Amino acid sequence: MRPGRILVDEASIATRLVEMGDEITADYEGKDLLLVAVLKGAFMVVADLARRIRLPIDIDFMGVSSYGVATQTSGVVRILKDLEQEISGRHVLIVEDIIDSGLTLDYLRRNLEVRQPASLEIATLLLKTGIQRVPIEVKYVGFEIPPDFVVGYGLDLVGKMRNLPYVAVMEEE
Ligand code: IMP
Ligand code: MG
């Protein structure tokens, strides 16, 4: 397998993140906003999205693992790193790279809701259309994409290819 056709190029990602940043800026004006990025995949999108939000935001990280070494979700979510901050009474926006089955975010949302944030919403760069195994409400979506396995811009295949500046579909050699 190798990265093949580019699905979302660098310029399109940059343009869309400006739009999402504008929306988030308008929605959270005057509020105490904490971005919660889901590691590792969301490290790149959160770095770029945060720079497009014109508010004094705070950022924290949550490390989760939902895939082993394969490209299929197991449904089992492990927390590898928890938040360092209290979120009770704060406006929390989870930042994800991609939503596939939705199982990771469903687990994360329930885990964070217990801590009683003032609000809890989700922003994702990519949403695979129509294959979620649980209903999931996503407030900010960058791009809806077909349910193919993709890499780049934070997304990996067995740990590699996260550093590609674009999102590409994997293809056979
Ligand atoms: P879900 O729980 O099935 O929604 O998948 C969640 C996580 O699996 C995402 O945050 C990614 O880290 C990873 N993932 C899902 N689809 C892909 C893909 O196409 N390429 C790389 N990683 C993916
Ligand atoms: Mg992820």
Side-chain angles (χ1 to χ4, degrees):
M1 298 278 276
R2 62 165 183 217
R5 185 171 54 88
I6 295 179
L7 198 61
V8 191
D9 64 31
E10 257 187 283
S12 306
I13 294 172
T15 305
R16 188 72 188 107
L17 289 181
V18 168
E19 295 169 353
M20 291 170 79
D22 284 347
E23 263 185 78
I24 293 166
T25 301
D27 292 351
Y28 289 91
E29 182 92 65
K31 292 178 177 160
D32 173 26
L33 174 60
L34 172 68
L35 298 186
V36 170
V38 187
L39 296 174
K40 297 178 187 171
F43 81 99
M44 211 174 270
V45 59
V46 80
D48 287 344
L49 178 62
R51 278 180 276 190
R52 302 296 164 226
I53 301 173
R54 299 179 309 280
L55 298 171
I57 57 166
D58 197 348
I59 303 181
D60 205 344
F61 299 91
M62 190 113 176
V64 303
S65 172
S66 49
Y67 285 171
V69 289
T71 58
Q72 282 287 305
T73 190
S74 63
V76 178
V77 180
R78 279 192 305 146
I79 292 193
L80 307 175
K81 180 201 175 300
D82 202 351
L83 295 177
E84 289 176 10
Q85 311 192 26
E86 299 280 332
I87 61 167
S88 146
R90 308 185 68 187
H91 293 275
V92 175
L93 180 60
I94 301 175
V95 179
E96 254 291 26
D97 48 0
I98 192 165
I99 301 175
D100 186 335
S101 70
L103 292 169
T104 306
L105 268 180
D106 184 55
Y107 175 87
L108 212 58
R109 179 190 266 283
R110 281 184 284 116
N111 184 292
L112 295 184
E113 242 154 30
V114 176
R115 311 181 198 187
Q116 298 184 308
S119 69
L120 183 60
E121 301 290 351
I122 297 167
T124 186
L125 181 70
L126 306 170
L127 174 70
K128 292 188 185 175
T129 34
I131 58 159
Q132 281 70 57
R133 284 158 58 183
V134 283
I136 191 126
E137 234 178 86
V138 189
K139 191 160 185 196
Y140 309 97
V141 177
F143 301 91
E144 294 201 12
I145 62 168
D148 306 314
F149 194 81
V150 293
V151 293
Y153 202 75
L155 294 155
D156 72 304
L157 174 64
V158 205
K160 296 285 159 57
M161 283 177 292
R162 293 189 196 277
N163 60 317
L164 295 175
Y166 46 78
V167 177
V169 181
M170 291 301 296
E171 66 178 24
E172 301 295 332
E173 301 275 338

